Amino acid sequence: MRTLLAVAAAALALSACSGGREKPDIDTGTYGAGDNWDNPGGDWAESHFSRLTDISADNVDRLGLAWEYDLGTARVQEATPVVIDGVMYTSGNLGKVYALNAATGEQLWTFDPEVDMQSNRAACCDQANRGVAVQGGKVFVGALDGWLYALDAKTGAVAWKSDTITDRSRGYTITGAPELAGDLVIIGNAGAEYDTRGYVTAYDTASGELVWRFYTIPHDPAEGPQETQALETALATWDPDSRWDVGGGGTAWDAITYDPTFDQVIVGVGNGGPYPLNTRSPDGGDNLYLNSLVALDRETGEMKWYFQETPTDSWDLTATQPMILADMDIDGSKRPVILHSPKNGFYFVVDRETGKPLRAEQMVRTSWASGWDMESGKPKLTPEYSNYADGPKIVFPASSGARNWHPAAYDPTRNLYFASFVDMGNLMFIPPGQENPPRKKNALNADAALIFTADLAAALPTLPPPMQEAIKALPQWQQVQDMPFSSQLRAIDATTGEVKWAVDHDGWQDRAGVLATASGLIFHGDVAGKFQVFDADSGKLLKSIDTGSSILAAPMTYRVDGVQYVAVQTGWGGGGWGFVPPYAAAYAKGNANRLLVFKLNGGEVPIPADLPPLQPAPEPPAQFADATPEMIAMGSALFTENCSLCHSNQPRAPLPDLRRMSEGTHGAFDKIVLEGLLLPNGMPRWDDLLTPDQAKAIHAFLIDEQTRLRARELELKRQGKPLDSRSLTILSNF
């Protein structure tokens, strides 16, 4: 049990490490990136805006491929490259790093962090990595298994590495890009759906030594005093009998931004775990600092202010979406602000000095709140439409968010904010028997079921009749029928939130990141593989290039030897990656990840060949002699709970469809699941959670599924029909 003396001593030790650090000298008078793109956001404001104008509306029709680079994986690409003095640095899945000649694509070096593949067990949303930080001859990257690396920028050699995980018995990972703040490099972790307690950590860029750590939520008060006064204050917003054993969530998996004006680090904090407030904190409460923007002093890590965007979270409405810094005229005076559109459906303009919201505009349907009270700075909560502890509720927006990690862009010359917005909800309910379940170690502890409104009408008949009736009686049911979802690229007035123009996407999975340029261009990719350029003022489509590769990441632009280039990484993945939409390039052509770089008078983009038609599922082995309907039903439940997040059992899914297992895979099933036979390939072992009898039940269920699928597909083949068949997106995390 910690004592007040021990906490004080630890605080003094960390403070001593940070003493005498000089404030970084950053020119905030220049907005937008120039020839260099020196961090994933482009400039000090992380605006995803470029001052370059060589490529314009007058000549963008000549845009073509300059070069491409094979990223050597078929998993997921979410990073925006960094270019400094003609060298491009970027990351791929797991935290791999690539250094390339930015003009030619020549490989200078690569780095593979040799990740402990058991960490895939705690990766809700694929092996994503959102970029690198570069400074002082070093490249910084976080690996999926929680190690932070500093690499020599010339050779890729490891200068140092630090373990960011405080408790390796829990489900921590890293998926975000490190943030530089002078001689500090700051990183957060993912894992709020698992059994974690969130924090961010600052390390010395030269040595990798820990300088300070800020926990985003309190620990069990029975263990002694909190680490900081900010957490003592937060404790009053939690039930003392909260589910501290599960961890509470609040991981900072993205959106960490250094603000040089006030020498502060602003952190976007994630959702609660478990999801339902009634389970996590039975007596309720705002549960600070979940779903908040938190400003920390750069030198000490002490909290300066916070702004909670979604109090009483039960809906996975995180504040971890990328933020943009700006100076804007607000109500007759110029203020330093944050532009932020998190998952919760609102667009915020937040004062960077005080944390006070100056604007809060509703951008999509929000059934958890009816609006925003600017006087109190808090939302007008509507628990009657969103508290699913007393029955199923249709909650807008969905847990995948009105916005997510996909970066927005801000053009200060037009005062326009460009971003993808998804207007979709989800049915949320607590499955019977999961009202207050025990902690599942290093495993999902969300404890809520979700069905997206895009699928709800089709899913409704599969639910128990009493639940069907309860859902139809909800006022939001009509909204689902009227518009299950919409997904748009929007240009909005950054001061008022007014939509100036909008372009519809092909589906709700489309929400890729955005690049804006001073020449009035908006660059944006999509899941179908189209790389598109729009007019910033009107939304008119100026250029569309078919790449044959699904695009999620934000593009960027840079100039080398007087030539402007535009680059984007391609590859399907991330949250819900097992459900590849049928219109996706990844569905038709596979998911070979590439880095595509364009310039004026470039060439054609090589298009991958179509995948061959699906063939009937292989014949499974005979069912176990002792298999009963009860065993198969238990296997189905265990599969849904433990396996389906990765193995969606969908056609063309990135991970194997286990209804199509080969004879050899069936023969090695227990060795794979319980002994880690395929651990080097990314398939973790499960013997700590599953008994041999439970693994057998899952196997029996999959044999039954494969038998049914084979019979169905043989009949479809006999009839000359395609075999592509899909099931509902019942549960997905973004």
Side-chain angles (χ1 to χ4, degrees), residues 365 394-400 423-427 451-454 484-485:
R365 291 169 288 183
I394 297 173
V395 180
F396 288 94
S399 64
S400 52
D423 190 345
M424 181 176 73
N426 43 216
L427 176 71
I451 303 177
F452 292 147
T453 54
F485 74 91

Side-chain angles (χ1 to χ4, degrees), residues 26 79 91 96 99 116 118 161 193 204 224 310 335 415 463 531 571-572 599 640 681 696:
I26 295 175
S91 65
K96 299 172 184 174
D116 175 1
Q118 187 66 17
K161 69 178 203 176
E193 285 77 23
D204 184 278
T310 312
R335 293 301 303 162
N415 196 35
L463 301 174
F531 188 59
W572 170 261
K599 67 176 183 178
T640 299
N681 296 345
K696 184 177 181 180

Side-chain angles (χ1 to χ4, degrees), residues 93 190 203 229 288 556 577 615 624 655 673 700:
N93 66 311
Y203 296 90
Q229 182 55 51
L288 293 171
M556 52 80 72
W577 80 95
Q615 296 300 313
F624 296 114
L655 294 188
V673 174

Side-chain angles (χ1 to χ4, degrees), residues 539-622:
K540 178 183 176 181
L541 179 64
L542 301 175
K543 178 73 173 179
S544 182
I545 299 173
D546 183 10
T547 70
S549 299
S550 293
I551 301 171
L552 300 171
M556 52 80 72
T557 188
Y558 59 95
R559 187 161 51 194
V560 178
D561 295 331
V563 177
Q564 183 181 352
Y565 299 86
V566 179
V568 69
Q569 290 179 218
T570 74
W572 170 261
W577 80 95
F579 298 88
V580 188
Y583 65 85
Y587 189 89
K589 300 178 178 298
N591 197 32
N593 297 172
R594 296 186 288 170
L595 200 161
L596 301 177
V597 180
F598 303 90
K599 67 176 183 178
L600 296 179
N601 302 320
E604 297 291 323
V605 178
I607 305 296
D610 284 349
L611 295 172
L614 289 173
Q615 296 300 313
E619 184 173 1

Side-chain angles (χ1 to χ4, degrees), residues 2-77:
R2 280 172 288 193
T3 66
L4 188 58
L5 181 62
V7 173
L12 284 172
L14 294 182
S15 179
C17 292
S18 64
R21 296 182 180 276
E22 292 185 7
K23 180 180 176 181
D25 183 16
I26 295 175
D27 176 15
T28 60
T30 302
Y31 202 91
D35 286 0
N36 288 337
W37 187 277
D38 64 15
N39 69 75
D43 64 343
W44 67 269
E46 304 188 8
S47 65
H48 288 266
F49 172 72
S50 171
R51 306 191 312 273
L52 300 183
T53 58
D54 298 351
I55 301 173
S56 68
D58 294 332
N59 59 26
V60 71
D61 61 306
R62 292 161 38 204
L63 196 68
L65 187 71
W67 54 266
E68 68 171 328
Y69 179 80
D70 184 352
L71 293 164
T73 175
R75 199 58 183 264
V76 57
Q77 298 298 324

Side-chain angles (χ1 to χ4, degrees), residues 90-113:
T90 193
S91 65
N93 66 311
L94 297 170
K96 299 172 184 174
V97 181
Y98 310 86
L100 310 170
N101 182 311
T104 67
E106 176 193 359
Q107 179 179 296
L108 304 178
W109 54 261
T110 63
F111 167 73
D112 189 333

Side-chain angles (χ1 to χ4, degrees), residues 424-675:
M424 181 176 73
N426 43 216
L427 176 71
M428 302 193 77
F429 61 94
I430 299 175
Q434 294 296 307
E435 289 79 9
N436 197 19
R439 170 198 168 198
K440 295 182 284 291
K441 183 179 176 182
N442 197 16
L444 280 170
N445 284 269
D447 300 338
L450 318 174
I451 303 177
F452 292 147
T453 54
D455 291 329
L456 187 52
L460 195 66
T462 69
L463 301 174
M467 183 179 287
Q468 293 184 40
E469 294 307 311
I471 293 166
K472 290 178 180 178
L474 295 171
Q476 287 75 30
W477 173 241
Q478 186 61 50
Q479 296 181 39
V480 175
Q481 294 177 296
D482 293 342
M483 188 178 75
F485 74 91
S486 76
S487 182
Q488 296 178 321
L489 172 64
R490 298 181 186 174
I492 69 172
D493 184 295
T495 305
T496 67
E498 178 189 355
V499 178
K500 295 298 185 180
W501 55 259
V503 175
D504 289 332
H505 292 316
D506 292 334
W508 64 263
Q509 293 96 331
D510 258 318
R511 52 169 70 194
V514 182
L515 163 67
T517 71
S519 57
L521 301 181
I522 303 301
F523 294 84
H524 182 275
D526 68 14
V527 171
K530 301 185 296 291
F531 188 59
Q532 299 179 309
V533 188
F534 299 93
D535 183 278
D537 295 311
S538 67
K540 178 183 176 181
L541 179 64
L542 301 175
K543 178 73 173 179
S544 182
I545 299 173
D546 183 10
T547 70
S549 299
S550 293
I551 301 171
L552 300 171
M556 52 80 72
T557 188
Y558 59 95
R559 187 161 51 194
V560 178
D561 295 331
V563 177
Q564 183 181 352
Y565 299 86
V566 179
V568 69
Q569 290 179 218
T570 74
W572 170 261
W577 80 95
F579 298 88
V580 188
Y583 65 85
Y587 189 89
K589 300 178 178 298
N591 197 32
N593 297 172
R594 296 186 288 170
L595 200 161
L596 301 177
V597 180
F598 303 90
K599 67 176 183 178
L600 296 179
N601 302 320
E604 297 291 323
V605 178
I607 305 296
D610 284 349
L611 295 172
L614 289 173
Q615 296 300 313
E619 184 173 1
Q623 184 59 273
F624 296 114
D626 59 347
T628 63
E630 291 75 19
M631 176 193 287
I632 292 171
M634 180 177 74
S636 174
L638 288 167
F639 180 88
T640 299
E641 180 181 353
N642 297 290
C643 315
S644 62
L645 187 64
C646 296
H647 293 283
S648 63
N649 286 357
Q650 298 286 308
R652 314 292 196 198
L655 294 188
D657 181 344
L658 299 183
R659 305 169 303 169
R660 300 177 182 276
M661 284 191 286
S662 67
E663 180 181 357
T665 302
H666 279 289
F669 189 85
D670 282 355
K671 289 185 179 296
I672 294 170
V673 174
L674 299 176
E675 299 179 27

Side-chain angles (χ1 to χ4, degrees), residues 37-290:
W37 187 277
D38 64 15
N39 69 75
D43 64 343
W44 67 269
E46 304 188 8
S47 65
H48 288 266
F49 172 72
S50 171
R51 306 191 312 273
L52 300 183
T53 58
D54 298 351
I55 301 173
S56 68
D58 294 332
N59 59 26
V60 71
D61 61 306
R62 292 161 38 204
L63 196 68
L65 187 71
W67 54 266
E68 68 171 328
Y69 179 80
D70 184 352
L71 293 164
T73 175
R75 199 58 183 264
V76 57
Q77 298 298 324
E78 297 186 2
T80 302
V82 170
V83 171
I84 296 177
D85 298 335
V87 179
M88 176 181 287
Y89 306 94
T90 193
S91 65
N93 66 311
L94 297 170
K96 299 172 184 174
V97 181
Y98 310 86
L100 310 170
N101 182 311
T104 67
E106 176 193 359
Q107 179 179 296
L108 304 178
W109 54 261
T110 63
F111 167 73
D112 189 333
E114 299 182 359
V115 164
D116 175 1
M117 292 304 234
Q118 187 66 17
S119 62
N120 283 282
R121 263 272 297 274
C124 78
C125 306
D126 207 352
Q127 299 173 343
N129 190 283
R130 298 185 191 90
V132 301
V134 183
Q135 179 178 279
K138 292 187 178 71
V139 179
F140 303 92
V141 69
L144 187 71
D145 59 355
W147 287 88
L148 178 66
Y149 290 86
L151 310 174
D152 185 286
K154 291 184 178 179
T155 66
V158 177
W160 55 257
K161 69 178 203 176
S162 294
D163 188 358
T164 72
I165 294 180
T166 57
D167 182 351
R168 286 199 167 267
S169 71
R170 295 181 177 267
Y172 289 104
T173 55
I174 290 178
T175 58
E179 178 74 0
L180 289 165
D183 58 0
L184 299 179
V185 56
I186 299 149
I187 192 72
N189 300 84
E193 285 77 23
Y194 289 78
D195 55 352
T196 62
R197 177 192 179 205
Y199 56 86
V200 292
T201 314
Y203 296 90
D204 184 278
T205 56
S207 65
E209 293 182 0
L210 188 153
V211 177
W212 53 256
R213 174 170 287 139
F214 179 84
Y215 284 92
T216 59
I217 61 172
H219 61 70
D220 186 347
E223 295 180 358
Q226 303 295 323
E227 291 87 349
T228 63
Q229 182 55 51
L231 292 175
E232 294 288 356
T233 301
L235 190 60
T237 68
W238 291 73
D239 184 341
D241 296 323
S242 291
R243 287 298 307 273
W244 307 112
D245 61 319
V246 176
T251 51
W253 50 265
D254 204 19
I256 302 174
T257 301
Y258 174 61
D259 174 8
T261 302
F262 298 102
D263 201 20
Q264 62 190 359
V265 177
I266 307 168
V267 178
V269 182
N271 58 280
Y275 281 179
L277 178 67
N278 292 54
T279 303
R280 185 179 66 249
S281 180
D283 278 347
D286 285 352
N287 285 191
L288 293 171
Y289 298 99
L290 294 179

